[in-house]
Amino acid sequence: MRSISRSIQPVYAPFLHPKHTTKIQLSNSTPRPAWTRAFHASASLRVIDLAYSLHDNQGRAKGDPIVIIHGLFGSKKNNRSVSNALARALDRPVYAVDTRNHGDSSHHKVHNYIAIADDVEAFLKKHNLKNATLIGHSMGAKTVMTMALRNPDCCANIIPVDNAPVDAALSSDFPIYAEGMQKAERAKPKSQKEADELLQPYAKDLPVRQFLLTNLVRPAPSEPLKFRIPVKILTDALDNMADFPFTDPEQARFNKRALFVRGTKSHYVSDEVLPIIGRFFPRFELVDIEAGHWVISEKPEEFIKAVVEFLQEKDE
């Protein structure tokens, strides 16, 4: 595992936009309006009361809270063992949440980073979680970055895992997974084995299929299995998940500590985007873990070690 300090210098040249082949302007020549609280409080968005699991080492973890947010098609269950380990190691309670349209949380047709960030910020306020560390993987990573940039006071620091603050196309696997889940649901499978066979052409790797199938439930004893997540809503939201709400580091910046964790076998945080990370998050640090996009599940011990070391460092 290789750690790079925040000494990486930002650059001011335009970036080639990975998704739309346009450019992200990093200079002051075309200023954009800052994210305002009025925009955040848009009446068009309904806040979802998020389901969660609390991991507090049987009530012994009394420090500042940690909130951990899963990725697309995931849930709070994905982070159970890591949450327990962090609660023990850091003596801090860990809240693993289900975002809207995931896990046990409610469904809503709006699924973008504005809405997800609204939900999580409302969760922090409802549970009086102050001075929190926000950890997020993939979709969760962009969520915590969005929260930190638009309202730096909402947290003490952030740990985005394998995603960057840019518009960038999702891995081509995600639309294929979504297509497979829709096909499997239409076939009305009677068993996990049948559903697994239906998914196999769309997800070759067994661990990925097992991950997707954690969303499969049986509504009633005599009914076929179906996905508890609204697959159609999430399929329609894939472009939103590729986007990022902020484009101008001159208008939004998070000056607190941030640890970016990336998988060395993943393309989501390339060396080319490191300078723009530095513009949005001047105090960022980077840890590389030899893994693909699913860093936390592939290398949990290395991930836990990186998080513990970062959070145990004195905030200067």
Side-chain angles (χ1 to χ4, degrees), residues 39-206:
F39 183 28
H40 159 61
S42 170
S44 64
L45 301 178
R46 179 170 70 87
V47 171
I48 299 294
D49 190 17
L50 302 180
Y52 71 100
S53 294
L54 173 59
H55 307 267
D56 61 359
N57 196 21
Q58 298 180 330
R60 291 190 288 270
K62 301 295 186 182
D64 291 328
I66 296 171
V67 176
I68 186 165
I69 307 170
H70 58 79
L72 187 63
F73 304 145
S75 75
K76 60 184 178 297
K77 293 181 179 179
N78 302 143
N79 298 311
R80 182 184 297 154
S81 60
V82 165
S83 297
N84 281 327
L86 291 175
R88 290 193 300 268
L90 294 166
D91 193 31
R92 296 175 60 175
V94 180
Y95 294 77
V97 302
D98 283 335
T99 67
R100 60 171 56 203
N101 297 316
H102 289 79
D104 296 319
S105 290
S106 299
H107 300 171
H108 193 279
K109 64 181 180 180
V110 176
H111 194 87
N112 56 45
Y113 291 114
I114 301 169
I116 302 170
D118 277 348
D119 294 342
V120 180
E121 191 165 336
F123 178 86
L124 295 177
K125 292 177 181 176
K126 176 181 178 179
H127 296 278
N128 197 29
L129 304 182
K130 298 177 180 178
N131 204 35
T133 292
L134 305 180
I135 301 175
H137 171 250
S138 193
M139 177 185 77
K142 282 192 170 180
T143 299
V144 303
M145 287 186 276
T146 298
M147 294 175 66
L149 289 174
R150 74 179 194 171
N151 182 14
D153 292 335
C154 78
C155 60
N157 45 55
I158 63 169
I159 303 178
V161 183
D162 214 55
N163 219 333
V166 295
D167 288 2
L170 294 177
S171 164
S172 59
D173 292 337
F174 282 98
I176 296 172
Y177 298 157
E179 182 184 352
M181 286 189 286
Q182 289 190 76
K183 180 177 179 180
E185 190 163 75
R186 286 194 298 268
K188 299 183 178 180
K190 297 291 194 298
S191 66
Q192 284 267 350
K193 181 180 179 182
E194 184 182 349
D196 181 69
E197 291 172 353
L198 289 164
L199 273 178
Q200 193 163 355
Y202 302 89
K204 303 295 184 184
D205 297 333
L206 178 60

Side-chain angles (χ1 to χ4, degrees), residues 2 62 183 188 233 254 293 298 307:
R2 179 169 59 90
K62 301 295 186 182
K183 180 177 179 180
K188 299 183 178 180
I233 290 176
F254 184 70
H293 181 57
E298 289 182 43
V307 171

Side-chain angles (χ1 to χ4, degrees), residues 302-315:
E302 287 90 337
F303 174 74
I304 292 166
K305 181 175 184 291
V307 171
V308 169
E309 288 179 354
F310 174 74
L311 293 178
Q312 284 182 339
E313 290 177 7
K314 185 175 181 181
D315 192 355

Side-chain angles (χ1 to χ4, degrees), residues 264-299:
T264 57
K265 301 175 184 177
S266 172
H267 72 274
Y268 278 91
V269 188
S270 65
D271 288 345
E272 288 74 19
V273 303
L274 296 182
I276 195 170
I277 291 175
R279 295 292 307 285
F280 280 120
F281 303 96
R283 298 182 62 191
F284 92 101
E285 300 168 38
L286 177 70
V287 167
D288 283 346
I289 293 178
E290 190 175 349
H293 181 57
W294 311 95
V295 179
I296 299 175
S297 59
E298 289 182 43
K299 295 293 179 69

